[in-house]
Amino acid sequence: LMKGCDRKTDPESINYNWPLSTPAAQGLDKKKIDAAYIKAAELGFVDALLVIRNGYLVAEDYYNGYGPNAPHQLWSVTKSFLSALVGIALDNGFIDDIDGKVMDYFPEYAFAGMDPRFSDITVRDLLAMRMGIDREQINLIPVVTTDNWIRETFKLPLLYDPGTKFSYNSLQSLLLSAIITKTSGMTVRQFAEQYLTGPMGIEIYSWGSDPQGNNIGDVWGDGNDITFAHGL
């Protein structure tokens, strides 16, 4: 939610477009902004440059063929959208508590001999990437080459007690996605279109998924991850 907005404000009544101004009017040196435009173009890997000052859009330019309405791959920024969607699911009663146990959502994946610490993992641990599995450079590919990524995630060894150590792994975001789908009856894409991106005028062009149809939170899977155009 935007800072200062009432949690219960109708999203349709919020204006998500930045009002326009100039660098000088907002106390910025136009020469420095112009230099930033040039530098962004020279770097080659910058696709857009926007500067917000005092709540105003004071600079905007695009590179490499992109524009304000062109879809763009978000890569792991998708995880930030997923975390926002978890908050929306909590606010709307689909998820009761982020300290709720993850295995309560996936009882079908429990098995004899399973590390009992899996029962300690909470939704909060997934949000903080602290469920206890190794970093994704070690175990991501072996999991995503199977026919059920969630099942295989629960077979991974826990190297750390849940909640104790950060370890970046996109499989934790996949579990969050699956929790939203299980509790809402919608794919995360559908959920986002109803509760977040749709009201903001943002079109989702594509969003990859696992073999069970759970939208992913990174660049692997069936096609690309999430691709947005901001709709201005």
Side-chain angles (χ1 to χ4, degrees):
L1 291 173
M2 297 175 66
K3 186 176 181 181
C5 288
D6 185 337
R7 285 167 60 93
K8 299 305 180 183
T9 299
D10 181 357
E12 299 291 347
S13 68
I14 300 174
N15 183 3
Y16 293 98
N17 294 326
W18 293 104
L20 302 179
S21 186
T22 64
Q26 301 305 320
L28 292 178
D29 186 343
K30 183 179 182 301
K31 290 182 179 179
K32 290 184 178 180
I33 297 296
D34 290 340
Y37 284 145
I38 295 171
K39 185 64 176 179
E42 290 176 346
L43 288 172
F45 57 80
V46 176
D47 295 329
L49 173 64
L50 289 85
V51 179
I52 310 298
R53 174 75 167 177
N54 299 328
Y56 290 91
L57 177 62
V58 300
E60 180 177 16
D61 202 4
Y62 298 89
Y63 312 93
N64 302 319
Y66 285 99
N69 292 302
H72 197 287
Q73 182 86 0
L74 290 190
W75 307 97
S76 286
V77 175
T78 308
K79 294 180 175 65
S80 295
F81 280 90
L82 265 174
S83 65
L85 293 172
V86 170
I88 292 171
L90 181 69
D91 194 42
N92 284 275
F94 294 109
I95 296 176
D96 294 330
D97 186 352
I98 62 170
D99 290 312
K101 305 300 185 183
V102 169
M103 287 306 301
D104 289 345
Y105 297 99
F106 302 102
E108 67 273 28
Y109 292 116
F111 59 91
M114 187 180 202
D115 189 324
R117 292 178 297 171
F118 273 101
S119 297
D120 298 329
I121 300 169
T122 65
V123 175
R124 185 187 299 272
D125 294 332
L126 298 182
L127 287 165
M129 292 207 170
R130 293 182 177 180
M131 71 175 285
I133 59 177
D134 205 347
R135 64 194 189 281
E136 66 180 38
Q137 290 90 337
I138 302 299
N139 54 35
L140 184 64
I141 297 302
V143 168
V144 302
T145 51
T146 70
D147 63 354
N148 191 316
W149 303 354
I150 293 177
R151 179 195 65 213
E152 297 305 312
T153 296
F154 288 124
K155 292 181 181 180
L156 293 174
L158 295 180
L159 303 187
Y160 323 105
D161 290 338
T164 62
K165 186 172 180 178
F166 171 84
S167 183
Y168 186 91
N169 195 308
S170 297
L171 295 170
Q172 296 170 97
S173 298
L174 176 67
L175 293 179
L176 289 173
S177 173
I179 288 172
I180 292 174
T181 295
K182 275 178 167 276
T183 57
S184 71
M186 293 179 276
T187 66
V188 164
R189 175 173 179 168
Q190 293 168 336
F191 190 86
E193 289 171 337
Q194 178 169 333
Y195 289 100
L196 181 62
T197 59
M200 295 179 72
I202 298 173
E203 183 176 355
I204 301 176
Y205 281 75
S206 66
W207 196 338
S209 59
D210 73 357
Q212 279 63 52
N214 298 297
N215 293 122
I216 60 178
D218 206 340
V219 299
W220 36 275
D222 180 15
N224 295 326
D225 65 330
I226 188 169
T227 307
F228 279 166
H230 67 46
L232 298 181

